[in-house]
Amino acid sequence: MSNCRDPTRGLEWKVADAIAYQQNAGAFRSGITTDEAMAYYSQYCHQYEESLRPGRYNGPRIAADAVARYYPRDREQKKIIDIAAGTGFVAENLTVQGFRHIDALEPSTSMLVRAKEKGLYETLYENMLTEEHLPIAADTYDCAVVCGGFGEGHIPCSGLKELLRITKPGGVICNVMREEYLVNVEEYRECLEPLMNSLEKAGKWTLVSRDVVPNYFIDLPGIVFMYKVN
Ligand SMILES: C[S@@+](CC[C@H](N)C(=O)[O-])C[C@H]1O[C@@H](n2cnc3c(N)ncnc32)[C@H](O)[C@@H]1O
């Protein structure tokens, strides 16, 4: 396959990777509103799984591996919610790891339709994670996992509050995202990690691990945050 050069990154990528990068960039473009992101996903859903296939987009495997490392035993008894579930990539990977009770939360109807078809989720919530109260009881889940849900126009910093509310004390919140978004996304720069740190200082949760991982998306690094809820 021929190569092309992305002038903004100075890296050589295969053409197919460059196309996938551009398609994904449309969902996370600077200044995108939530409504615009939802409209984008209603089209993107048709190419999403081929474009973001494993090997190119490794976030879902990275997320499931992190959750599986945290729960080496009794995985079939753990109740997990996959936040920003998209088409269900994370559930596919969690199922391989032996998890059996997985719910989904995903605001895009088109993405959720594909997730539902896979038959891997018990309950599917067509909701957006924001500061708004979700239709989910407090302390429901052993684990809330988010993969690729934090980015421009996606989950706001204020969504952390609901993640904490729906996860049981002693449970874990796993957030896997593109590392550069911590600083490139204006809303997160001053807010996301500082808020995570202040929630820890306030005793709401305790950091288990913070790992930068290679090849999260193509050759771009991701970051995996694991917090235990207090
Ligand atoms: C890049 S996709 C990731 C999907 C899936 N987790 C994966 O790794 O393939 C981002 C998803 O976040 C969803 N999303 C956007 N804003 C959201 C919000 N505020 N709360 C929950 N999900 C959101 C989008 O609809 C989209 O399906």
Side-chain angles (χ1 to χ4, degrees):
M1 186 177 285
S2 59
N3 289 311
C4 69
R5 180 172 284 276
D6 180 327
T8 63
R9 293 180 179 272
L11 300 173
E12 285 206 338
W13 284 341
K14 290 176 187 159
V15 169
D17 288 344
I19 292 169
Y21 178 84
Q22 289 304 333
Q23 285 176 330
N24 188 256
F28 291 96
R29 70 174 165 75
S30 180
I32 194 168
T33 65
T34 301
D35 286 349
E36 288 167 343
M38 290 302 105
Y40 192 85
Y41 280 109
S42 68
Q43 300 304 314
Y44 188 24
C45 66
H46 303 296
Q47 297 97 43
Y48 187 89
E49 296 202 320
E50 172 52 27
S51 182
L52 297 189
R53 59 179 170 67
R56 180 176 293 142
Y57 173 47
N58 299 304
R61 182 188 48 75
I62 292 166
D65 287 353
V67 174
R69 267 196 306 279
Y70 191 80
Y71 288 120
R73 285 176 297 283
D74 302 328
R75 290 179 188 162
E76 64 288 347
Q77 289 160 29
K78 303 299 176 196
K79 194 166 168 58
I80 300 182
I81 186 160
D82 177 9
I83 301 278
T87 61
F89 272 158
V90 172
E92 289 181 71
N93 283 271
L94 287 171
T95 303
V96 168
Q97 295 283 5
F99 294 99
R100 293 291 172 263
H101 298 292
I102 313 169
D103 291 349
L105 182 135
E106 167 57 48
S108 160
T109 310
S110 334
M111 297 288 271
L112 199 61
V113 163
R114 179 74 190 113
K116 191 172 185 180
E117 281 169 2
K118 291 182 178 160
L120 300 175
Y121 294 107
E122 292 183 328
T123 304
L124 296 98
Y125 296 94
E126 191 172 329
N127 288 93
M128 192 162 270
L129 177 65
T130 64
E131 72 282 6
E132 299 288 321
H133 195 91
L134 291 168
I136 298 173
D139 306 341
T140 296
Y141 294 102
D142 296 295
C143 172
V145 57
V146 190
C147 178
F150 280 86
E152 186 88 22
H154 284 57
I155 300 174
C157 296
S158 58
L160 295 181
K161 192 179 122 236
E162 275 298 274
L163 284 184
L164 278 161
R165 188 185 66 76
I166 65 175
T167 308
K168 295 175 188 171
V172 70
I173 296 173
C174 174
N175 176 24
V176 184
M177 59 186 283
R178 213 194 282 185
E179 186 196 17
E180 64 183 341
Y181 287 166
L182 288 175
V183 288
N184 289 356
V185 174
E186 197 181 331
E187 186 193 338
Y188 298 160
R189 196 179 307 132
E190 305 292 330
C191 163
L192 190 55
E193 251 199 310
L195 179 57
M196 292 187 200
N197 292 335
S198 71
L199 288 168
E200 185 170 31
K201 284 199 186 89
K204 304 287 184 195
W205 63 10
T206 303
L207 183 66
V208 175
S209 55
R210 178 194 187 280
D211 295 317
V212 175
V213 292
N215 306 323
Y216 164 80
F217 178 39
I218 315 179
D219 54 3
L220 302 173
I223 188 158
V224 184
F225 293 99
M226 293 284 280
Y227 279 95
K228 185 175 177 187
V229 176
N230 295 327

